[in-house]
Amino acid sequence: MPVRSGWLSPDGQSREDTRLVSLGALTPTSPVATRSGVLPGSSDGASRISGFTLTGTANSMSATVSPGRAVLQGTDARGAYPVALTEYLPVTFPDGNAQYNRIDLLVLRIYDDAYDGSGRTEAVVEIVPGTPAAAPTVPPAPGLSLPLYEVTVPANASAGTGGIAWASALVGRRTATVGVGGILPVTTDTSVGAYPGQYRDLGGQLQRWSGTAWTDYPVLPTWQSWTPAWTTSTGLATPSYGNATVNCRYLKSGRTVHCNFSIVFGSTTTFGTGSATTDNWRFSLPVPASAAQSVVGFAELGVDNTSRSVSRVQIPTTTTFELVISTGRSSGVALANTGVVDATSPWTWASTNSILGTATYEAAS
């Protein structure tokens, strides 16, 4: 028999059986139980699970099951059964019903007379026939078996009528199991995790079991809204948004912060007034910066569709940013209204004036 099992036969286990079957601590489902499943992998590394793959033979009712290894878990007290299929195994499905379709279930099954009274002690790949019906359903898996495939058998299907349409007849039911700490490859598996900190790969997305749910890992950062506190460098002549439209958002990924800000001043906005000391406008950062930085982004200051001024965004303290207007042009002639933005620079601010900008900086933590 090409289906080999470990610690099952009452007549003894050969050294070859022991070498072939999978042993060791696999994905746990309780302190003493293991998740049933096929061990993942393929010879070329291209497939998640290649073991126990069912491949149909065109225009026939026959197929082959490819070699693989698996573990089938009984009750906690009964233990887990390691199994290996060492060569390609042919299977033939019964002909279709004269009137209705049916769905058969291909399973890897353990018979153990000491527990099930079957009179058999072996591991087998077998077909569980479904019931023909106008709307056929999948038959239940027998005790201590691992579903491999659902196979739709059309009405009147036989080798003489073209057999099973293999390209559309198969629904994969194989689940995987891996060593403790291994990343479990899954497709449509809805099983809960075994322990907080367990990882799985769901169709290319790494997920972590939190103890109550599977969550994507790493946790992807999301854009969040933030309203910058509006102050001045001196703490005097403090402005106020009033009914300004403030739309500012940021995203923090690791220690990198991306932020954008849009402020359109309103009729009740107050801009502060100049004093003996220049009251440079400052806006609070969404998260503290690692250090002061001279250029982290750029902004556009606007009066209307034709009056614009460009400024750089600088971080004078680890918690605020300022806007610094351009100080020159290619001719070398200095521009008017240069320096840090305040209540009267680059102009006397008014309702509908705007500040639009973006910045990227290193966070303190």
Side-chain angles (χ1 to χ4, degrees):
M1 284 287 292
V3 182
R4 313 290 282 266
S5 60
W7 313 112
L8 174 60
S9 172
D11 299 326
Q13 177 174 313
S14 71
R15 288 174 294 174
E16 192 175 58
D17 288 337
T18 304
R19 290 194 301 269
L20 287 169
V21 299
S22 171
L23 297 174
L26 299 177
T27 307
T29 56
S30 81
V32 294
T34 286
R35 171 187 167 100
S36 295
V38 178
L39 273 67
S42 60
S43 57
D44 59 3
S47 301
R48 287 174 173 267
I49 304 175
S50 63
F52 297 93
T53 297
L54 182 66
T55 304
T57 302
N59 303 314
S60 77
M61 304 296 291
S62 299
T64 56
V65 181
S66 65
R69 292 186 295 166
V71 173
L72 283 79
Q73 175 67 49
T75 63
D76 284 9
R78 186 171 173 179
Y81 295 78
V83 175
L85 175 61
T86 59
E87 58 189 69
Y88 285 91
L89 180 69
V91 292
T92 300
F93 290 80
D95 289 349
N97 178 262
Q99 184 178 6
Y100 294 119
N101 294 351
R102 74 169 190 271
I103 301 175
D104 293 349
L105 187 65
L106 184 72
V107 302
L108 176 63
R109 183 175 183 180
I110 293 292
Y111 287 93
D112 190 348
D113 182 61
Y115 290 92
D116 57 30
S118 62
R120 303 169 63 180
T121 307
E122 59 181 332
V124 298
V125 174
E126 69 178 23
I127 298 166
V128 181
T131 301
T137 58
V138 182
L144 198 45
S145 66
L146 181 66
L148 301 176
Y149 285 90
E150 299 171 15
V151 181
T152 298
V153 180
N156 292 314
S158 67
T161 60
I164 294 173
W166 295 106
S168 59
L170 302 182
V171 175
R173 292 281 301 276
R174 290 172 299 173
T175 56
T177 189
V178 294
V180 173
I183 295 176
L184 186 70
V186 298
T187 50
T188 58
D189 196 323
T190 58
S191 301
V192 301
Y195 52 88
Q198 180 187 11
Y199 289 90
R200 73 178 188 178
D201 184 320
L202 177 61
Q205 173 62 58
L206 191 63
Q207 294 186 323
R208 181 184 184 275
W209 179 251
S210 67
T212 58
W214 290 104
T215 57
D216 290 350
Y217 184 86
V219 178
L220 299 179
T222 57
W223 284 93
Q224 303 179 63
S225 296
W226 123 86
T227 300
W230 190 10
T231 59
T232 66
S233 58
T234 64
L236 303 174
T238 304
S240 173
Y241 288 122
N243 63 352
T245 301
V246 181
N247 183 11
C248 304
R249 292 170 62 77
Y250 76 96
L251 180 148
K252 184 175 184 292
S253 178
R255 293 185 63 178
T256 301
V257 180
H258 303 283
C259 61
N260 56 61
F261 45 92
S262 170
I263 303 171
V264 180
F265 300 119
S267 60
T268 63
T269 300
T270 58
F271 302 98
T273 57
S275 63
T277 303
T278 303
D279 299 306
N280 303 331
W281 283 352
R282 288 186 177 178
F283 301 88
S284 63
L285 294 165
V287 297
S290 61
Q293 300 173 55
S294 59
V295 182
V296 295
F298 296 91
E300 178 186 85
L301 317 178
V303 173
D304 51 39
N305 290 334
T306 58
S307 299
R308 294 281 189 270
S309 181
V310 176
S311 69
R312 72 177 188 267
V313 180
Q314 72 173 8
I315 296 178
T317 72
T318 57
T319 58
T320 61
F321 70 89
E322 289 179 340
L323 306 173
V324 183
I325 304 167
S326 177
T327 58
R329 59 189 179 192
S330 59
S331 65
V333 178
L335 294 174
N337 296 325
T338 63
V340 182
V341 172
D342 58 27
T344 58
S345 179
W347 46 68
T348 299
W349 291 83
S351 177
T352 73
N353 291 183
S354 61
I355 298 175
L356 311 174
T358 183
T360 297
Y361 65 93
E362 180 184 355
S365 60

